[in-house]
Structures are given as structure tokens and as C-alpha cells.
Amino acid sequence: MHKKFALTPPMGWNSWDCYGAAVNEEQLLANADYMAKNLKDYGWEYVVCDIQWSEPTADGYAYHNFVPLYMDEYSRLIPSPERFPSSAGGKGFKPIADYVHSLGLKFGIHIMRGIPRQAVHQNTNTITEGITARDIAQQYSICPWNADMYGVNPDAKGAQEYYDSLFKLYASWDVDYIKCDDIANTEFLKDNPYSARREIEMLRKAIDNCGRDMVLSLSPGPAPVWEHEHLAANANLWRMTGDFWDEWSKLYAMFERCYAWQEYVQPGAWPDCDMLPLGRLQLTEKDPKYKNRYTRFTHDEQITMMTLWGIFRSPLMMGGEMRENDEFTLSLLQNRELIDMLKNSSGARQFKREETDDGKGEIIWTSKGENCKYVALFNTDDEVREIVFDVTDVTIGGIEYSVWDMWKHEEHAVTSGKFSAEVNPHGARLFKIKVK
């Protein structure tokens, strides 16, 4: 049932890459305005507020451990009115969601797995009479990089009811999308990988019981491939990787991750390559090495990222401050042909990978469209390469073919069923093949 909430890969914007833990109401609404004006007509629709929205002092990418968080009488975190003024008086995120919906868009929030540690330490009430936060907490289950939460004991009386109460609160705010963190990763849980599987099931039940359709995204990854059936049975998308940033090594590594997950891409259940670190990033970062910069990806690397995410059918979440998009960045996000492939293709596969031991060479991916085939040519070398592809290798019938360049938006020559393309270093070319 939950898969119907995301029959195509979700597309939107998330505040993490540009504001870290410190995003505020003005920034959320301004990016929603930008999306409505410039991207909504292309399929972009989610505006997602990332981590620490209950903390009044959040100011960057470093977490302030054990600072007081805003919380209601049932041990549920609520927005900080210092950062989200419209939330005052118990309104929560409802006013922001209302505004986002008025633009024809959808609203999402980030949450952490579990129950606030401050609720456990203060032994505050939960929605279940006679059950306190301390009664349902699993105090040895903690996140290694954020000190806000304890895990919830799935066997404790009142545990499922606590998660149910969370999602009923979010439903009352008209939230459309939940990104749950510290729940899909294996790298931090080497002794007990994927140990949060029962909390994933509790999330699923809570959404099913809340009375509102919500897309469920699991982070941070890498989610284990061998749990693909459990993930698809409970979530709409899950991260294949830890946090993805604008470094070629991380982009290069994504080819292997996509290859590992290619068999398990399905409508409503999407392996997720993570956010798109495009445009203006890390405005609130304190380290001058990273602070307030434009993406370090070259133009060619940005095209590679968009091409791989698109043909693999990863969710697309823009990470940069959209008001500072330049013309090139906007052109990446407004490529209707790529978005049509993302939404309507199927069967993406790594067709060929030929590289030297130092990771330099060529990679080819293919997929099926409506009455067409897609071919993506990737150059992982530091030099320009000429990559050749034989159209007859993706049998589509006929003897004459048209090859359309989906980034240059022009016909590409094909001779005797073959075509070649010059591909820039760390770059990509993307083609749509049809029988004439």
C-alpha cells in the first residue's frame, strides 16, 4: 500500500547541504517560493526541513550535544519558535506546511530514530497513560554522531503507541514526507548491522495508522543490499551511502553502489544515491575550507552525477541554496528529457565497465523507455575519451535509428548501427535511441 505514495522517484529540495542543522523559516519558505516559480513545472515538489529543528541554538553543521530541545507534554519534539516563529503557540509546522501546500508543493521534515534523551532523563509522560519515556527507551541504543535520542524498545508497553503519537502529530501538521535518520546505516553498527529493523517496522505501522499519506525515507546508509526486501516492504526510499558531498571520489564510488542495487529498483521503493550537492553549499559551515562555497564538482562531474542518478532512477533532492543557482545549475534541474527518463524508464543496468587498475576508463549504462532505449556513456579517466556504442546491442528492432543527445538537445550521428561520442574527463553523455 505504501508504495503508491512514491510511484516515481521523489524530487525536491533538502536544507542540509546549504544550512546544516541551522535552517530557519525564512530560508525554508524562500526556497519553496523558488521551487514553485522555477522547478514545480518540471516535477520538483518536496521542500524538506532537515535535522535539529527543535533546537533553538543550532547554528551550523556541528551538533550542540545535550542542549535543551523544544518538546511537548508527551515527549515529542516540536519546532523551535526562535527559528520557526509561526510554530509558536502549539502550531508546530502546520503554518509552514500550509504555505508550501498553497504553492502546489509538498512539505517534509527530518526526524531521528527513537525518543529524546532529555525526555528519558526527565522521565516525562508519553501519550499512553502511566507510561513514561524511561519505560520505553532502549538506553544502550544511541546514535554515535548525534546525542539527542535513545532508541525505542519495540517490546515495551507503549512503544508502538509512542511512534503512533509522533506520526499523528506530524499528520496534524500536514507533513507529506519523513526522512528518518540513524536507522538504515551499517557502517556505525558493525557489531549489529541493521539492528534498527524493528524500529523501521514501527515507523511503517505508525504511518499506516496516522490517517495521512507520507513518504518514508531512511538514512544515512549504506543500507545493506541483503535487506532489500525488508526495506522495500517498509520504506519508499533508503540511502545506499553515507553523506554524499561534492568530491569526485564519492561520485566515482556511486557507480559500484548503483551496480549493487540495480536489481532492486522498483516503483514506490527506491535505493537512494543521496542529495545533489549543486550550487551554493554550506552557508553556515564554520570551517573556512568548506564554508559558503559553490559546488566543487566541475560542470562535467555535475552532468555525470545527474546522468547516473537519472538513469538509475534515484530520488533527486537538490541540496544547494536555490536562490543562488546560476544558469548552468538551473539548466541541470530543468532538463525535461532527463526527468522523463527518471519517471518513466525501467530496467537500468550497467552494460559495460572497462577500466584500468587505477579506475580510469569507461562505463556504460542502459535502460528502457517507452518505445526507446537510453544509453549513458561515462568517462572515469582524467583525459578525453572517444566511447563507441553499438545500437544493436540494445535490441530495439529496425535497421535505421535516431540517436538524440539529451544534454545537447540535438540529433547525434549514427552509422551502421554504431555511434561514437567524445566524453570529457569525469564527464558523461546521455542518449535516447529510437527506431526511425
Side-chain angles (χ1 to χ4, degrees):
M1 180 69 75
H2 70 280
K3 292 180 182 179
K4 70 178 183 179
F5 305 159
L7 291 176
T8 59
M11 298 170 59
W13 173 84
N14 178 291
S15 61
W16 173 256
D17 283 359
C18 50
Y19 291 110
V23 71
N24 62 34
E25 183 164 341
E26 180 276 330
Q27 293 156 350
L28 278 179
L29 298 185
N31 276 276
D33 287 337
Y34 181 95
M35 183 181 291
K37 179 180 178 181
N38 297 285
L39 296 173
K40 182 177 73 170
D41 290 345
Y42 295 82
W44 301 84
E45 59 178 345
Y46 289 99
V47 176
V48 181
C49 178
D50 211 86
I51 197 168
Q52 299 300 112
W53 40 261
S54 60
E55 184 197 333
T57 61
D59 60 359
Y61 286 81
Y63 301 118
H64 302 158
N65 292 335
F66 306 111
V67 300
L69 307 175
Y70 275 88
M71 188 174 73
D72 73 5
E73 68 270 30
Y74 298 122
S75 305
R76 302 175 299 190
L77 296 178
I78 57 176
S80 160
E82 287 87 351
R83 292 168 53 203
F84 306 97
S86 69
S87 71
K91 298 184 185 71
F93 275 124
K94 181 70 162 64
I96 290 178
D98 286 347
Y99 183 80
V100 171
H101 292 152
S102 76
L103 300 175
L105 303 173
K106 296 179 180 179
F107 179 63
I109 60 173
H110 172 288
I111 66 172
M112 292 291 292
R113 171 180 69 92
I115 189 166
R117 291 195 201 184
Q118 74 179 33
V120 177
H121 298 163
Q122 298 168 17
N123 204 25
T124 51
N125 292 326
T126 69
I127 200 76
T128 305
E129 186 174 355
I131 301 294
T132 66
R134 197 170 296 170
D135 293 327
I136 66 172
Q138 209 159 40
Q139 296 184 41
Y140 62 82
S141 178
I142 59 175
C143 174
W145 43 266
N146 181 283
D148 290 347
M149 313 293 275
Y150 289 124
V152 168
N153 177 4
D155 296 318
K157 181 181 178 181
Q160 182 63 55
E161 288 79 3
Y162 175 73
Y163 267 123
D164 289 349
S165 75
L166 282 179
F167 281 84
K168 286 177 181 175
L169 179 64
Y170 305 151
S172 76
W173 296 343
D174 287 345
V175 171
D176 305 295
Y177 182 108
I178 296 290
K179 173 185 175 181
C180 186
D181 214 337
D182 189 41
I183 204 163
N185 47 316
T186 56
E187 59 187 7
F188 298 123
L189 301 167
K190 295 185 186 299
D191 294 331
N192 190 15
Y194 202 57
S195 62
R197 63 181 296 130
R198 292 185 65 193
E199 283 195 78
I200 292 173
E201 294 165 6
M202 295 171 80
L203 291 172
R204 176 75 271 139
K205 290 178 183 177
I207 295 177
D208 292 343
N209 292 333
C210 79
R212 183 175 179 81
D213 294 349
M214 294 183 195
V215 170
L216 177 59
S217 167
L218 304 180
S219 286
V225 177
W226 58 89
E227 292 285 1
H228 62 90
E229 290 184 356
H230 186 262
L231 289 159
N234 290 282
N236 297 106
L237 56 150
W238 52 88
R239 288 259 298 275
M240 305 189 302
T241 177
D243 284 0
F244 177 81
W245 282 105
D246 46 334
E247 302 169 14
W248 169 248
S249 62
K250 290 183 178 291
L251 179 52
Y252 177 75
M254 200 61 69
F255 286 101
E256 185 63 32
R257 297 193 186 279
C258 290
Y259 176 70
W261 279 99
Q262 66 182 9
E263 299 291 337
Y264 308 117
V265 177
Q266 59 180 292
W270 307 103
D272 180 9
C273 294
D274 199 15
M275 285 180 281
L276 302 165
L278 296 170
R280 179 69 64 183
L281 304 172
Q282 294 194 275
L283 281 78
T284 61
E285 174 60 63
K286 301 299 189 292
D287 186 338
K289 180 180 178 181
Y290 301 107
K291 178 179 174 61
N292 195 8
R293 69 180 193 279
Y294 234 70
T295 183
R296 294 170 295 188
F297 281 142
T298 67
H299 281 192
D300 287 307
E301 289 167 349
Q302 292 175 61
I303 289 173
T304 289
M305 177 175 63
M306 293 297 294
T307 301
L308 181 60
W309 270 233
I311 198 166
F312 176 74
R313 304 191 76 193
S314 170
L316 299 182
M317 283 287 166
M318 167 63 177
E321 167 50 80
M322 293 191 291
R323 290 173 290 179
E324 297 195 34
N325 283 349
D326 60 11
E327 184 177 344
F328 177 78
T329 303
L330 187 58
S331 74
L332 297 176
L333 305 178
Q334 290 182 334
N335 187 324
R336 290 191 188 277
E337 296 172 67
L338 178 122
I339 292 168
D340 181 66
M341 177 182 69
L342 176 87
K343 289 182 174 294
N344 299 309
S345 63
S346 64
R349 295 289 184 273
Q350 179 182 289
F351 177 81
K352 175 184 177 183
R353 185 167 188 169
E354 291 185 356
E355 295 176 303
T356 57
D357 291 341
D358 58 355
K360 292 179 172 59
E362 60 191 58
I363 302 172
I364 300 177
W365 275 69
T366 63
S367 70
K368 305 171 187 176
E370 186 176 355
N371 300 317
C372 69
K373 294 291 180 74
Y374 296 104
V375 176
L377 312 179
F378 299 98
N379 177 12
T380 60
D381 204 339
D382 297 327
E383 306 291 337
V384 174
R385 294 179 71 93
E386 192 81 15
I387 300 179
V388 178
F389 187 79
D390 189 336
V391 175
T392 60
D393 285 339
V394 288
T395 306
I396 55 178
I399 56 174
E400 293 189 38
Y401 310 92
S402 66
V403 177
W404 181 258
D405 189 319
M406 293 169 59
W407 284 114
K408 293 186 176 182
H409 309 294
E410 63 185 23
E411 289 283 346
H412 189 84
V414 56
T415 305
S416 300
K418 293 184 179 181
F419 68 91
S420 64
E422 187 177 273
V423 188
N424 289 339
H426 297 183
R429 303 288 295 274
L430 180 60
F431 301 97
K432 183 178 184 177
I433 302 173
K434 283 188 170 184
V435 176
K436 285 187 177 179

